[in-house]
């Protein structure tokens, strides 16, 4: 009976020690490179979207998350946007992609014209000549 308790306590000690070490390493990684999590998420999103549509090669996009679609409703590019949708901005290729990670669908694709004075992008919609502005925060 005492042997079983000792073995159980030893197994629990190993599990708790392993979990502690894992979370310690994650904390150290986040402190040394706070953008590591965002970069991992961006790589994952690009891989998911790349399975649905051909993306520009040789360029890493800027990935933004839609947090308030009500503020964007007047812009045709964001007409189908919901909270949590992702926007992939390819500056060199001058393309923007609106992606819904829940439905795993590309909702919108549009060309962009990046301004040099600020970080606004003029996005003409494919179906009209109306211009949409995408503002990227730095």
């Amino acid at each position: 009976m005492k042997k079983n308790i000792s073995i159980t306590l030893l197994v629990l000690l190993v599990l708790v020690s392993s979990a502690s070490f894992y979370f310690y390493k994650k904390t150290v990684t986040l402190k040394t490179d706070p953008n590591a999590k965002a970069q991992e998420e961006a790589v994952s999103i690009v891989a998911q979207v790349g399975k649905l549509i051909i993306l520009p090669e040789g360029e890493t996009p800027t990935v933004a998350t839609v947090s308030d679609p009500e503020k964007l409703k007047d812009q045709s590019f964001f007409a189908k946007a919901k909270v949590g949708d992702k926007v992939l901005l390819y500056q060199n290729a001058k393309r923007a992609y609106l992606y819904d990670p829940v439905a795993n669908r590309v909702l919108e694709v549009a060309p962009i014209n990046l301004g040099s004075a600020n970080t606004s992008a003029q996005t003409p919609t494919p179906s009209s000549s109306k211009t949409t502005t995408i503002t990227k925060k730095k």
Side-chain angles (χ1 to χ4, degrees):
M1 180 77 170
K2 286 185 178 183
K3 188 175 182 180
N4 289 340
I5 292 174
S6 297
I7 292 174
T8 303
L9 288 175
L10 182 62
V11 169
L12 286 174
L13 179 64
V14 169
L15 290 174
V16 169
S17 298
S18 298
S20 297
F21 181 73
Y22 171 78
F23 288 114
Y24 170 77
K25 292 298 280 182
K26 283 288 190 182
T27 303
V28 169
T29 301
L30 286 175
K31 284 182 181 179
T32 57
D33 188 7
N35 294 326
K37 176 88 171 143
Q39 290 171 349
E40 287 177 18
E41 181 184 11
V43 168
S44 172
I45 290 169
V46 169
Q48 291 170 345
V49 175
K51 292 177 183 176
L52 303 173
I53 192 168
I54 297 172
L55 295 173
E57 293 182 7
E59 181 179 2
T60 303
T62 301
V63 178
T65 301
V66 175
S67 58
D68 190 356
E70 288 303 314
K71 290 182 180 178
L72 305 169
K73 285 295 181 192
D74 61 330
Q75 301 177 33
S76 59
F77 180 80
F78 293 103
K80 300 174 188 172
K82 298 180 299 301
V83 173
D85 287 353
K86 305 294 181 181
V87 179
L88 284 73
L89 293 171
Y90 285 89
Q91 293 181 8
N92 294 337
K94 296 181 171 56
R95 304 289 295 170
Y97 300 83
L98 179 61
Y99 171 67
D100 180 351
V102 175
N104 193 32
R105 290 181 34 189
V106 175
L107 303 174
E108 189 70 55
V109 179
I112 58 173
N113 181 11
L114 297 175
S116 58
N118 60 20
T119 56
S120 292
Q122 298 298 319
T123 309
T125 59
S127 60
S128 70
S129 61
K130 184 178 175 184
T131 301
T132 301
T133 302
I134 300 171
T135 304
K136 181 176 72 171
K137 295 182 180 178
K138 285 200 172 193

